[in-house]
Amino acid sequence: DCIEISEMNLKVQNTCEDVSISLLSHLASPRPGFEYKNKLIIENNGPTTVSTGSVDFTMDSLLMYNSATGYIAGTSVTQSAGGLTINFSSLAPGEKEEIILNFTVPADENLLGEQITSAVNYVSSSNDVNSENNTATLSEIIIGSYDPNDITESHGPEILHTTFTNDDYLYYTVRFQNVGTASAINVTIDNALDVRLDKTTFEMLHSSHTNTVVRVFDNLTWQFDNINLADSTNDEPNSHGYVHYKIKPLAGYSIGDIVPNTASIVFDFNSPIVTNTFNSTFIENALSTQDNVLQNVAVYPNPTSDFVMVTSQSSIAQIEVYSYVGHLVKKNKNQDRIDISSLKTGLYFIKIKDINGNFATEKVLKK
């Protein structure tokens, strides 16, 4: 009387993959005449081994590529027009590969204040179940003298309001370096989150060393116990560290809103070193519109090196191409194709308008 037999349908799940891509500035911000490093992290978050995969790295045209280091056997890094192609194989579940990409910034003081933007795109297989983590961009301002302890955000100081959705995150990196005269046994990072950030969406992504992170209300604290971080005088390459995380702004952000972020770093029992305050400003631009949204739009190829094709159920009246900061750089009318071969490498926004006045905006990587 206490047993009941029920029927259930058994569904055999297909092979699912989830490869995530992260791109962050490694060690220091770009400076004229100096080497500039990016760290590319390829991680298998899925339950099965990814047999092969390819990542396209679209390099800012100001950068000069030198070399790639740190990649494992079975991975290749090949220079291509406008960037790099990284092919990997046999990435096991939970395994990640960290590749250091080495560039040089031209020794030109006129470049100070210029923004450089690079982007990566995982050429996913049909089995990849999460396309949201298949791309990443990194924008940084070329600077002069710098403090090695800093905080940056991957979008750069200005974010186009119309292209940042409720599903998008801010990606912060806090970097630190021991410039003392002896190794640091312990390091602590305190990061008081601004009221404009949604603390519940905080997600730790990567770090240079083993640590514990705790969030108490609006404050994040990373504790690197027994890190024994080398000092820069005796071992400069191993004197650096970082944490990299993502978090969403609170819903309701509007044009002109500024989201500041500052961290403080304590080496052993020394006084805290306060980083710069990184301000993320949501800006208005020519992409802004309250018109009807154009449905069923496709933009391809993406990434591309020369042209973009647009398909839509409606007749296309105009295609406009905008830079990452919202400047109109090219347009044509009454065509479904636009040539962008003359544009420098980087991330662009394609704005499509149909004959009824409806709009759609799509992101495109120019290789």
Side-chain angles (χ1 to χ4, degrees), residues 256-271:
D257 283 352
I258 300 175
V259 181
N261 204 347
T262 308
S264 64
I265 302 160
V266 176
F267 296 91
D268 293 329
F269 299 103
N270 296 320
S271 299

Side-chain angles (χ1 to χ4, degrees), residues 159-315:
I159 301 174
L160 302 183
H161 181 267
T162 52
T163 62
F164 196 91
T165 71
N166 291 332
D167 295 326
D168 289 327
Y169 285 81
L170 297 172
Y171 291 82
Y172 288 103
T173 302
V174 182
R175 295 180 295 202
F176 55 91
Q177 183 181 19
N178 177 13
V179 294
T181 57
S183 62
I185 298 174
N186 303 310
V187 175
T188 303
I189 299 176
D190 285 314
N191 187 191
L193 298 174
D194 188 78
V195 294
R196 299 169 186 84
L197 294 172
D198 185 352
K199 290 77 180 173
T200 63
T201 64
F202 164 76
E203 184 177 339
M204 185 63 190
L205 296 177
H206 304 287
S207 64
S208 57
H209 300 78
T210 301
N211 65 85
T212 58
V213 58
V214 176
R215 182 178 70 85
V216 179
F217 298 108
D218 297 344
N219 198 76
L220 300 172
T221 300
W222 287 266
Q223 188 66 45
F224 295 82
D225 290 329
N226 297 313
I227 185 175
N228 292 311
L229 189 68
D231 63 277
S232 58
T233 302
N234 293 306
D235 188 0
E236 200 284 334
N238 291 312
S239 65
H240 299 265
Y242 72 89
V243 296
H244 182 58
Y245 69 91
K246 68 179 183 179
I247 191 170
K248 290 182 178 181
L250 282 173
Y253 52 86
S254 58
I255 294 169
D257 283 352
I258 300 175
V259 181
N261 204 347
T262 308
S264 64
I265 302 160
V266 176
F267 296 91
D268 293 329
F269 299 103
N270 296 320
S271 299
I273 298 173
V274 180
T275 69
N276 60 300
T277 297
F278 192 96
N279 291 316
S280 298
T281 305
F282 291 95
I283 64 171
E284 185 178 16
N285 56 85
L287 292 175
S288 298
T289 178
Q290 298 301 318
D291 292 289
N292 295 329
V293 177
L294 180 60
Q295 303 291 337
N296 301 315
V297 173
V299 175
Y300 64 94
N302 188 14
T304 182
S305 58
D306 44 19
F307 68 91
V308 172
M309 295 290 296
V310 177
T311 61
S312 171
Q313 290 182 345
S314 302
S315 298

Side-chain angles (χ1 to χ4, degrees), residues 6-44:
S6 300
E7 291 186 3
M8 295 185 295
N9 292 324
L10 176 64
K11 182 177 180 180
V12 179
Q13 181 172 305
N14 291 328
T15 300
C16 294
E17 298 177 357
D18 181 17
V19 173
S20 66
I21 301 295
S22 298
L23 182 65
L24 53 149
S25 181
H26 186 55
L27 304 184
S29 298
R31 294 187 293 162
F34 286 85
E35 190 172 54
Y36 170 58
K37 298 174 181 287
N38 287 176
K39 176 180 281 190
L40 170 64
I41 302 175
I42 308 169
E43 188 168 8
N44 182 2

Side-chain angles (χ1 to χ4, degrees), residues 33 55 58 64 72 118 124 145 150 185 203-204 311 313 329 343:
V55 176
T58 304
M64 297 179 290
I72 61 178
S118 296
S124 63
S145 299
D150 67 1
I185 298 174
E203 184 177 339
M204 185 63 190
T311 61
Q313 290 182 345
V329 294
L343 302 180

